[in-house]
Amino acid sequence: MDLESWMTTKPVVSIIAPVYNEEPIIDELYRRLVAVLDTIGEPWELVMVNDGSTDRSVELMVALHARDPRVRVINFARNFGHQNAVTAGMDYARGDTVVIIDADLQDPPEVILQLLDKWREGYHVVYAVRSERKGETWFKKFTAKLFYRVIYRITDVNIPLDTGDFRLMDRQVVDAVKQMREHNRFIRGMTSWVGFRQTGVDYVRQERFAGETKYPLRKMMRFALDAITGFSYFPLQVMIYASLVLALIAVLAVPIVAFLRLAGASVFEGQATTLVVLLLLSSFQLFFFFIMGQYVARIYDETRQRPLYIVSKVWERPDALHAGGEAAAAPAANHAGGVTSPGQTAG
Ligand code: UDP
Ligand code: MG
């Protein structure tokens, strides 16, 4: 498609790629994506969100934009985290469908064609299910498997197992998720929560094309806590069971100890027993304090109402149609005219 018609046509597909220090990957990502997207015969755009990279990622992305204005670059003022980068991508995307993809090519761009096929069949959300993971450590695979199963068990929304953010969303779903401005975001849960017709497509998660994971253990733990606190009260409710068990032990202990002492046995004497029990109970209590603290901290995050991210600069053709961004995406924003039902394409 020539440039002028690109400018005036709403893209059918917006690809969102969050980027944090992915310098060795950017050109290859663009090459692989273009190879796939140019086969669909519909207008598309690539929204790259630079999440405060400290390497040359942003220069490379801006160079892509200069060559191909279908690439739009959103530059954050600092690192706001993967989920906020994806959120910005959704705020800026203009397409009838939006596909979220990791920049590191662990999610093969070729799968996008299968996602689009399902969308044309009438599904509103098509998530990609990792049937196999290549090139990840034993520890990462194990913790990921465990994590998705725990989440599945304790949350009220049906978050499909073994899915990441790699998924396609219809415009209606994007507009719904855009209204959810919660701060500690678990986007794969949020896209399940909104409902609509959802389905999955299997794929093999590839090795990272280059570089290292940007999710160290610390970030993974935080992410897991966001997922649990965002979608479940289970950790708060489970405290009642601990409390009942301890009360029961206390009630039983009185007659048992009295009986043993009367029978002449020298049990539970001295400070050691008291100290051990005290330490054990304190550790229980502190653990539950920690859990409550996790919820309280998140309430605090909500009450401050800070923006989810700060954009320092956007590279896009000035005459390109605008979709907004944080300001325009405030809750209750009306996106009239932007709603296309699945299967309906502008081609
Ligand atoms: N990412 C980001 N901000 C961050 C961390 C990661 O935008 O603070 C991006 C990263 O560049 C990649 C995607 O999020 O495109 C997934 O990160 P990564 O591949 O490191 O995670 P993993 O696949 O190892 O779980
Ligand atoms: Mg990755």
Side-chain angles (χ1 to χ4, degrees):
M1 180 194 302
D2 69 86
L3 261 180
E4 287 325 302
S5 31
W6 179 83
M7 228 50 77
T8 48
T9 317
K10 201 149 75 73
V12 171
V13 189
S14 296
I15 309 289
I16 298 176
V19 174
Y20 179 49
N21 292 343
E22 306 286 12
E23 186 182 320
I25 289 167
I26 292 183
D27 287 328
E28 180 65 11
L29 173 71
Y30 172 77
R31 198 187 60 75
R32 289 268 303 271
L33 277 172
V34 169
V36 171
L37 293 169
D38 279 348
T39 66
I40 61 175
E42 311 265 21
W44 55 267
E45 65 173 4
L46 168 60
V47 182
M48 297 183 112
V49 183
N50 176 43
D51 186 13
S53 300
T54 50
D55 62 359
R56 289 185 57 251
S57 293
V58 74
E59 279 98 317
L60 295 179
M61 289 188 275
V62 171
L64 284 182
H65 164 74
R67 242 171 50 213
D68 181 347
R70 291 174 299 184
V71 178
R72 299 161 70 199
V73 183
I74 319 295
N75 194 36
F76 276 6
R78 64 166 171 84
N79 179 264
F80 282 92
H82 175 213
Q83 299 289 296
N84 289 327
V86 171
T87 304
M90 290 172 71
D91 291 343
Y92 279 85
R94 304 176 304 139
D96 297 331
T97 65
V98 165
V99 176
I100 303 170
I101 193 166
D102 278 1
D104 60 1
L105 289 168
Q106 283 198 282
D107 307 329
E110 295 70 28
V111 177
I112 294 172
L113 298 177
Q114 284 161 264
L115 302 181
L116 278 168
D117 283 344
K118 287 281 176 197
W119 176 66
R120 293 203 177 93
E121 280 174 33
Y123 290 98
H124 296 84
V125 175
V126 190
Y127 45 85
V129 185
R130 303 158 172 174
S131 55
E132 193 187 318
R133 286 169 161 249
K134 285 191 178 162
E136 287 183 305
T137 61
W138 168 89
F139 180 75
K140 174 105 187 186
K141 282 187 202 172
F142 174 75
T143 47
K145 263 222 139 49
L146 183 72
F147 168 67
Y148 290 115
R149 271 141 198 89
V150 169
I151 291 288
Y152 189 78
R153 286 298 291 271
I154 70 173
T155 57
D156 319 323
V157 270
N158 273 345
I159 300 166
L161 291 172
D162 303 317
T163 59
D165 286 331
F166 186 24
R167 59 186 60 217
L168 175 148
M169 283 172 273
D170 181 69
R171 171 53 54 189
Q172 265 189 294
V173 173
V174 176
D175 286 343
V177 173
K178 272 166 72 172
Q179 293 180 42
M180 299 162 74
R181 304 313 285 180
E182 62 208 59
H183 282 74
N184 296 282
R185 303 170 79 74
F186 184 58
I187 289 172
R188 50 203 84 164
M190 292 160 62
T191 57
S192 299
W193 183 87
V194 295
F196 295 98
R197 288 189 72 199
Q198 312 217 352
T199 189
V201 161
D202 280 344
Y203 82 110
V204 177
R205 187 149 162 94
Q206 302 297 314
E207 254 176 79
R208 215 174 209 285
F209 177 73
E212 279 173 8
T213 175
K214 308 298 178 311
Y215 263 94
L217 188 61
R218 180 180 47 83
K219 273 196 201 169
M220 264 164 59
M221 300 278 285
R222 216 206 120 122
F223 187 55
L225 283 168
D226 285 341
I228 293 169
T229 53
F231 290 91
S232 173
Y233 298 141
F234 176 80
L236 294 172
Q237 286 160 341
V238 77
M239 292 182 206
I240 187 67
Y241 298 109
S243 143
L244 287 176
V245 168
L246 290 175
L248 190 72
I249 293 174
V251 168
L252 291 178
V254 176
I256 290 174
V257 173
F259 174 78
L260 289 173
R261 285 284 174 86
L262 288 174
S266 47
V267 287
F268 301 121
E269 282 175 338
Q271 284 185 5
T273 328
T274 319
L275 274 176
V276 169
V277 172
L278 199 72
L279 287 173
L280 188 72
L281 290 182
S282 313
S283 95
F284 264 127
Q285 285 179 333
L286 288 176
F287 176 72
F288 286 131
F289 262 133
F290 162 78
I291 290 186
M292 269 177 36
Q294 292 300 309
Y295 285 87
V296 172
R298 283 164 177 79
I299 298 171
Y300 185 42
D301 281 340
E302 298 309 326
T303 55
R304 278 184 304 205
Q305 297 206 353
R306 290 186 183 166
L308 297 177
Y309 53 82
I310 306 284
V311 172
S312 71
K313 189 163 179 183
V314 177
W315 283 269
E316 61 187 358
R317 283 278 297 248
D319 43 355
L321 298 163
H322 270 272
E326 181 80 51
N334 191 0
H335 300 280
V339 182
T340 314
S341 30
Q344 191 182 326
T345 56

